[in-house]
């Protein structure tokens, strides 16, 4: 029982990270209408921006905003240079382009920061022991951070004019356009949010494990699985999807080698696509 | 709401979706405060005509002038600023947004206080008041049409373009939508609409155009067109 609860804790931590990535994938899919394969590497970029600050012996409170701004800037430049001219083409062209962006970002990270494993802080964190469960301070930061970010996103989507316009555009692009909504401005905000959350996911992943140029790429499969599980294009579904995938991956280590964790995400995604292709929350008919 | 005296004039417009032209020298006019109707057989380019006016279809030649200003080549988001709003035939609400949010989206480009306009729309469509926090996708066809028209009214347009506002509605609901359209027109807002249920709409149209092959074939007042035996025979299903 204690072992199960311990795995649940790990699952929630991993699920929080996956959720932050999956929301971004879902938002970009809903509004820009393509599956962004560069999203994992955007997380990597965010993690390494934070590493730069951490290496200067500054606190993570400085690292976070720097990584946010850097990653958002990178996403906006990529959109402007590459995705924007392709906006009116077929989604598959955008998808392949995003694959190219993924390779470029990963190579740049490797070129600049090297391919060795790195950490934000050397040394061992002493875990808290609560009712027999071992919980590291970083894990608390990760889960709380994810809760704060998801809550902020929820308030933004429900209460602000831009948030409503984002939902409107995800709902019906053509109608958004004839209503007079400035769709390019909505796109910019979509990248700001998706890249910001990607940076947070990358940093949290780096805190939970370590930094490596393929860290984000390796998480892309579970992130996509979570987005699909939640019904792609629906950011709220991505939250549930992320937690389900994270917890399922950790529980699978009870009877499978941890090396098969991505296979669990993949398996769930396949089953989901067969059984409920519109996602956990269903969808409009 | 001020009824400003602006007329729409479409002159010799050619255009389509990129392949062969669908509009072949279209001429039409909607005077200030008028109800104008476009009828014609399937594939005549009725919806395309409205889309061309609203900047959704590329106009290859010809001009669209509204209130003395040339709108040819402008994008829809630029046109809504000029007092013209459009209600598409299908997919004309944001299904996952609430009724209230749909109406708010209609005023997206407004920076002033539009609460009086929200009130006006709820007054015009009282059925929407109790549905205001319901997702628009769950509404009936008639209610959805009300949301779509209400959304377009949020910009306080002086001309409303309606693409088949009664398509797929039951006769009773259809009548109530026509009733609302006349009510809106009574506020001084000009209407240009494409309509399948032509007989009914012709009874109150100030002006009607019969479109064939992307060109104007007949033009007259609604009741006159209705009385024209040739038109009745060809486009209104004869004695049916």
């Amino acid at each position: 029982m204690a072992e199960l609860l311990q795995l649940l804790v790990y699952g929630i931590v991993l699920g929080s990270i996956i959720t932050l990535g999956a929301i971004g994938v879902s938002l970009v899919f809903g509004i820009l209408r393509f599956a962004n394969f560069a999203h994992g590497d955007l997380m990597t970029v965010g993690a390494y921006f934070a590493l730069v600050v951490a290496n200067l012996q500054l606190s993570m409170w400085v690292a976070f905003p720097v990584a946010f701004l850097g990653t958002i800037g990178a996403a906006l430049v990529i959109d402007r240079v590459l995705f924007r001219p392709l906006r009116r083409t077929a989604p598959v062209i955008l998808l392949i382009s995003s694959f190219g962006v993924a390779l470029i970002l990963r190579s740049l990270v490797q070129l600049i920061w090297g391919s060795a494993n790195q950490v934000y802080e050397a040394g061992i964190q002493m875990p808290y022991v609560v009712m027999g469960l071992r919980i590291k301070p970083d894990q608390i930061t990760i889960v709380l951070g994810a809760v704060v970010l998801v809550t902020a996103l929820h308030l933004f989507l429900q209460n602000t004019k831009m948030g409503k316009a984002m939902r409107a555009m995800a709902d019906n692009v053509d109608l958004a356009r004839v209503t007079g909504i400035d769709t390019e401005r909505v796109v910019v905000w979509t990248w700001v949010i998706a890249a910001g959350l990607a940076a947070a996911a990358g940093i949290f992943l780096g805190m939970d494990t370590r930094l490596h140029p393929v860290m984000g790429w390796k998480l892309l499969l579970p992130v996509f699985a979570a987005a699909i599980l939640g019904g792609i294009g629906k950011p709220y579904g991505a939250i549930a999807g992320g937690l389900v995938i994270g917890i399922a991956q950790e529980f699978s280590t009870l009877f499978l080698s941890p090396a098969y964790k991505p296979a669990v995400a993949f398996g769930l995604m396949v089953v989901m696509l067969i059984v409920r292709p519109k996602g956990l929350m269903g969808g409009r008919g | 709401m001020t009824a400003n005296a602006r007329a729409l004039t479409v002159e010799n417009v050619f255009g389509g979706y990129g392949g062969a032209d669908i509009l072949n020298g279209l001429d039409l006019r909607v005077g200030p405060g008028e109800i104008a109707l476009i009828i014609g057989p399937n594939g005549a380019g009725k919806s395309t005509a409205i889309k061309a006016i609203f900047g959704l279809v590329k106009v290859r030649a010809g001009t669209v002038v509204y209130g003395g200003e040339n709108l040819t080549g402008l994008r829809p988001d630029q046109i809504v600023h000029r007092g013209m709003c459009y209600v598409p035939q299908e997919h004309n609400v944001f299904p996952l947004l609430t009724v209230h949010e749909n109406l708010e989206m209609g005023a997206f480009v407004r920076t002033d206080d539009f609460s009086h306009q929200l009130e006006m729309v709820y007054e015009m469509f009282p059925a929407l008041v109790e549905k205001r926090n319901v997702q628009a996708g769950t509404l009936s066809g008639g209610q959805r049409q009300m949301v779509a028209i209400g959304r377009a009214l949020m910009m306080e347009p002086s001309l409303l373009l309606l693409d088949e506002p009664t398509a797929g509605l039951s006769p009773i609901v259809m009548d109530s939508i026509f009733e609302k359209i006349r009510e809106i027109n009574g506020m001084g807002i000009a209407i240009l609409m494409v309509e399948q249920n032509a007989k009914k709409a012709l009874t109150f149209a100030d002006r009607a155009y019969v479109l064939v092959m992307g060109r104007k074939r007949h033009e007259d007042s609604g009741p006159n067109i209705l009385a024209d035996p040739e038109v009745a025979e060809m486009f209104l299903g004869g004695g049916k």
Side-chain angles (χ1 to χ4, degrees), chain B residues 157-194:
Chain B
S158 44
L159 172 63
L160 203 52
L161 307 175
L162 304 174
D163 194 353
E164 302 209 19
T166 67
L169 300 181
S170 73
I172 296 171
V173 179
M174 199 174 91
D175 283 347
S176 75
I177 294 289
F178 280 140
E179 200 51 52
K180 291 299 174 189
I181 290 171
R182 296 182 72 173
E183 209 175 300
I184 291 165
N185 179 247
M187 292 157 51
I189 301 171
I191 310 271
L192 174 61
M193 63 176 176
V194 170

Side-chain angles (χ1 to χ4, degrees), chain A residues 158 161-162 164-165 167-169 171-172 175-182 185 234 284, chain B residues 54 56 77 80 86 88 91-97 101 104-106 108-110 151:
Chain A
Q158 292 302 325
K161 193 171 164 182
M162 184 46 70
K164 289 174 192 176
R167 288 192 290 133
M169 195 170 156
D171 239 7
N172 190 337
L175 189 61
R177 216 166 272 140
V178 304
T179 302
I181 292 172
D182 182 349
R185 218 173 85 206
K234 299 196 189 79
R284 71 189 106 121
Chain B
F54 200 64
L56 290 165
D77 60 289
V80 294
Y86 164 72
H91 309 296
N92 52 17
V93 297
F94 298 110
L96 298 180
L97 266 57
E101 287 169 340
E104 283 179 330
M105 281 301 111
F108 183 80
V109 298
R110 290 183 67 157
R151 196 214 79 234

Side-chain angles (χ1 to χ4, degrees), chain A residues 72-94:
Chain A
I72 290 168
L76 289 177
V77 168
I78 292 165
D79 182 66
R80 185 68 201 233
V81 173
L82 196 76
F83 294 142
R84 190 171 167 180
L86 297 173
R87 201 88 85 210
R88 307 266 168 177
T89 60
V92 69
I93 293 176
L94 282 154

Side-chain angles (χ1 to χ4, degrees), chain A:
Chain A
M1 190 61 201
E3 193 188 4
L4 277 181
L5 281 176
Q6 187 66 54
L7 285 176
L8 185 65
V9 170
Y10 292 152
I12 291 172
V13 173
L14 181 62
S16 304
I17 297 169
I18 294 173
T19 291
L20 292 177
I23 292 173
V25 163
S26 218
L27 276 177
V28 169
F29 187 89
I31 288 166
L32 289 120
R33 310 268 147 192
F34 74 98
N36 180 18
F37 273 78
H39 203 77
D41 295 283
L42 216 50
M43 292 183 210
T44 311
V45 168
Y48 276 87
F49 276 138
L51 180 69
V52 173
V53 180
N55 283 347
L56 295 173
Q57 309 298 326
L58 293 169
S59 105
M60 286 309 271
W61 293 110
V62 185
F64 265 101
V66 169
F68 270 121
L69 293 178
T71 313
I72 290 168
L76 289 177
V77 168
I78 292 165
D79 182 66
R80 185 68 201 233
V81 173
L82 196 76
F83 294 142
R84 190 171 167 180
L86 297 173
R87 201 88 85 210
R88 307 266 168 177
T89 60
V92 69
I93 293 176
L94 282 154
L95 184 150
I96 299 294
S97 315
S98 75
F99 209 85
V101 172
L103 289 172
I104 293 168
L105 287 178
R106 207 177 316 153
S107 306
L108 281 176
V109 167
Q110 199 165 346
L111 202 67
I112 298 169
W113 287 287
S115 54
N117 286 334
Q118 302 191 57
V119 290
Y120 288 126
E121 280 175 86
I124 296 168
Q125 273 194 329
M126 288 308 291
Y128 302 121
V129 180
V130 185
M131 292 189 296
L133 295 176
R134 277 167 293 116
I135 303 173
K136 286 192 291 180
D138 273 357
Q139 294 176 321
I140 296 172
T141 310
I142 291 168
V143 174
L144 284 183
V147 169
V148 168
L149 288 170
V150 167
T151 309
L153 175 75
H154 167 73
L155 293 175
F156 173 82
L157 287 178
Q158 292 302 325
N159 298 319
T160 67
K161 193 171 164 182
M162 184 46 70
K164 289 174 192 176
M166 282 177 69
R167 288 192 290 133
M169 195 170 156
D171 239 7
N172 190 337
V173 185
D174 294 326
L175 189 61
R177 216 166 272 140
V178 304
T179 302
I181 292 172
D182 182 349
T183 52
E184 279 303 316
R185 218 173 85 206
V186 178
V187 167
V188 166
W189 273 95
T190 305
W191 283 117
V192 167
I193 292 169
L197 295 179
I203 297 171
F204 290 160
L205 187 61
M207 285 164 65
D208 195 35
T209 56
R210 64 214 176 295
L211 288 90
H212 188 269
V214 295
M215 60 191 280
W217 174 249
K218 278 188 171 169
L219 201 67
L220 192 65
L221 181 65
V223 161
F224 265 97
I228 289 169
L229 211 62
I232 190 139
K234 299 196 189 79
Y236 288 103
I239 299 167
L243 285 174
V244 169
I245 295 284
I247 292 168
Q249 284 201 349
E250 292 300 335
F251 274 149
S252 75
T253 60
L254 279 175
F255 30 85
L256 284 175
S257 154
Y260 289 116
K261 275 190 203 174
V264 172
F266 191 71
L268 269 174
M269 182 170 79
V270 170
V271 170
M272 195 66 191
L273 284 173
I274 294 169
V275 181
R276 292 200 71 173
K278 280 183 177 165
L280 283 175
M281 313 286 194
R284 71 189 106 121

Side-chain angles (χ1 to χ4, degrees), chain B residues 1-10 28-37 50 53-54 64-67 71 79-87 149 152-153 155-162 184-185 187-193:
Chain B
M1 184 176 306
T2 53
N4 35 8
R6 286 196 268 186
L8 171 76
T9 315
V10 175
L28 61 83
R29 194 186 124 78
V30 184
E34 283 186 342
I35 296 185
L37 187 65
I50 281 199
I53 292 166
F54 200 64
V64 176
V65 176
Y66 182 56
L71 302 187
I79 293 177
V80 294
H81 285 285
R82 290 163 169 81
M84 194 193 295
C85 286
Y86 164 72
V87 180
I149 295 174
L153 288 175
M155 285 297 289
E156 300 187 43
S158 44
L159 172 63
L160 203 52
L161 307 175
L162 304 174
I184 291 165
N185 179 247
M187 292 157 51
I189 301 171
I191 310 271
L192 174 61
M193 63 176 176

